[in-house]
């Protein structure tokens, strides 16, 4: 855009960077999913490990009403990380497809008879 203060680049997308970063989101989504599963199974398996003393009751009063919300939020984060991975892969593939499309627009189109005049261009 004229008059802007940018460096003139519209997009500087490096497909290799996108494809290299995408698996990290998938891996971290799996790790968070494992941690969430371990948290739920451990707390459910232990019952109420925080005890019946004042601190335990304070924790239970704060945690128990929010437990399902916390678990749901963490589950949403897992899905978000996995969907970021999928979106990055799709974006990289789309960028490659777009580059090929643009490249095709600017390749030289050969005339049917190779004389540069096209059909009906005889002398």
């Amino acid at each position: 855009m004229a008059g802007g203060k940018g460096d003139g680049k519209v997009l500087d997308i490096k497909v290799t960077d996108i494809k290299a970063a995408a698996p990290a989101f998938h891996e971290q989504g799996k790790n968070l999913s494992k941690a969430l599963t371990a948290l739920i199974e451990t707390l459910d398996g232990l019952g109420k490990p925080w005890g019946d003393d004042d601190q335990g009751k304070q924790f239970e009063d704060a945690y128990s009403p929010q437990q399902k919300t916390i678990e749901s939020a963490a589950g949403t984060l897992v899905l978000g990380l996995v969907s970021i991975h999928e979106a990055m892969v799709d974006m990289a593939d789309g960028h490659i497809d777009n580059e090929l499309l643009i490249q095709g627009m600017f390749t030289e189109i050969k005339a049917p008879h190779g004389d540069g005049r096209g059909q009906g261009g005889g002398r």
Side-chain angles (χ1 to χ4, degrees):
M1 295 189 166
K5 293 185 178 186
D7 60 6
K9 291 182 182 178
V10 176
L11 290 175
D12 186 21
I13 298 173
K14 293 184 177 42
V15 174
T16 54
D17 291 345
I18 295 170
K19 286 193 172 197
F25 288 94
H26 181 73
E27 191 62 33
Q28 294 308 318
K30 287 188 336 187
N31 291 342
L32 182 57
S33 179
K34 288 178 190 175
L36 176 60
T37 300
L39 173 70
I40 293 169
E41 289 176 355
T42 300
L43 288 179
D44 286 349
L46 294 174
K48 296 182 180 182
W50 40 83
D52 287 334
D53 62 358
D54 287 339
Q55 284 183 329
K57 289 178 184 176
Q58 288 175 2
F59 177 81
E60 181 176 10
D61 289 346
Y63 175 73
S64 292
Q66 299 301 319
Q67 180 180 2
K68 294 300 176 197
T69 302
I70 293 167
E71 292 169 359
S72 176
T76 300
L77 288 172
V78 169
L79 294 175
L81 288 169
V82 171
S83 68
I84 289 171
H85 166 256
E86 292 170 358
M88 289 179 81
V89 169
D90 288 347
M91 182 172 59
D93 291 343
H95 185 68
I96 291 169
D97 291 344
N98 190 46
E99 288 290 318
L100 292 173
L101 177 65
I102 292 170
Q103 182 182 13
M105 289 179 193
F106 293 102
T107 21
E108 185 177 327
I109 300 172
K110 296 182 180 179
H113 299 291
D115 61 2
R117 294 182 289 171
Q119 293 179 342
R123 296 181 193 186

